[in-house]
Amino acid sequence: MKYSKNEFLMWTNITISVISDTNPLEDIHNSFGLIYSLEKEFSRFSNLSDLSLLNKEKELELSNRFIKIFNIVKTIYKETDGYFNPLMNLKNIWYAEDFRKWIFDKKEELQDIDIEKISVNQNKIKLWKNQNIDLWWIVKWYAVDLVSEYLKEKWYIDFIINAWGDIFISWKNKNGDVPVVAIDSPFNKKKILAVLEVTNKAISTSWTYKRKWNVENENFHHILNPKTNSNNNEIISISLVSDKCYIADAYATACIAMWIEKSLVFLKKQNIDWIIIWTDGNTYETKWLKDYNLEII
């Protein structure tokens, strides 16, 4: 029997669906509790979160989980040559206190974005005076992985966690049914560009065609190239398949910040599959996506 629950957490609609012979609602409820605890700790929209307090005080004793996630982000920062950078503080560039308002000031200089300058001593993190760190964007997808691990520990086999298009699927359905994931067309809101079958993997999609603005007759989207403090516009949509949702989403974000040739070189070094949609309508995908029965519609 299928059990599902949806909640709005981390400014995201999150749906957890479990197929089980026994009632899993208590474990689904506990799963949302895990996500809520991450939101309280890492929200950049709450002045009381540890993340906000760190940015305000510049030096703070933090939880083991906070340090773990910071170290994960630092590793990805190095892997992507700095194109995934939690010091690119979107609050100072696009958003105000929430997603409904934004700020853009060409005269405002970005804070020091060298993550190597952040001091970590056991559980204490110390920022430089003009640094503000934003772990919010990766924590949302780390939450998907955390819930998937929790549900596996509870011996659930068939479940889907969907956080606004960033999805983890665990599936060994005895009937042979395989979940089909659809990738929206960036060129027509009413159409689907591709479908693929995903099991026991995470799939994450990042894009530049939804969260965008026109400022002083210039077009901008929400992913900045930290090397130039500007947008790269070659990739309009990228979907990555990986063992971990946070890896897929972080790499996708970094690839949009890169130009297309650099992102392809980077991805070929990773144990990951992808489909990239270029602004001219061309698509790039790995040959292994045929294992997922990829169909371009």
Side-chain angles (χ1 to χ4, degrees), residues 133-246:
I133 192 166
D134 185 3
L135 302 179
W136 175 254
W137 47 349
I138 194 170
V139 166
K140 287 196 288 185
W141 320 130
Y142 178 84
V144 174
D145 297 318
L146 190 66
V147 170
S148 70
E149 291 170 5
Y150 172 77
L151 291 176
K152 288 177 182 178
E153 288 173 359
K154 294 295 183 178
W155 299 101
Y156 296 110
I157 296 173
D158 300 323
F159 60 85
I160 300 173
I161 307 159
N162 185 347
W164 198 43
D166 290 87
I167 302 167
F168 185 90
I169 300 172
S170 174
W171 203 262
K172 294 182 181 178
N173 193 283
K174 296 178 181 179
N175 297 328
D177 297 331
V178 178
V180 176
V181 177
I183 299 173
D184 291 339
S185 169
F187 308 109
N188 189 323
K189 295 180 180 179
K190 298 181 180 180
K191 291 187 177 181
I192 293 171
L193 184 133
V195 293
L196 65 163
E197 299 173 352
V198 179
T199 57
N200 304 309
K201 292 281 187 179
I203 180 168
S204 178
T205 300
S206 290
W207 48 69
T208 63
Y209 63 93
K210 288 187 178 181
R211 206 173 291 161
K212 59 184 179 179
W213 304 269
N214 184 283
V215 182
E216 298 180 8
N217 296 319
E218 293 186 54
N219 293 320
F220 297 92
H221 58 76
H222 70 295
I223 298 177
L224 283 178
N225 178 342
K227 310 287 188 178
T228 63
N229 188 25
S230 63
N231 286 148
N232 287 333
N233 294 292
E234 293 178 310
I235 297 175
I236 191 170
S237 175
I238 176 171
S239 300
L240 304 183
V241 181
S242 176
D243 292 331
K244 297 291 186 181
C245 191
Y246 78 81

Side-chain angles (χ1 to χ4, degrees), residues 186-187 193 208-209 232-238 255 258-261 263-264 275-285:
F187 308 109
L193 184 133
T208 63
Y209 63 93
N232 287 333
N233 294 292
E234 293 178 310
I235 297 175
I236 191 170
S237 175
I238 176 171
C255 286
M258 302 175 190
W259 56 92
I260 187 68
E261 292 182 4
S263 64
L264 291 174
I275 176 169
I276 296 174
I277 306 167
W278 210 4
T279 49
D280 63 2
N282 288 330
T283 61
Y284 300 83
E285 65 263 5

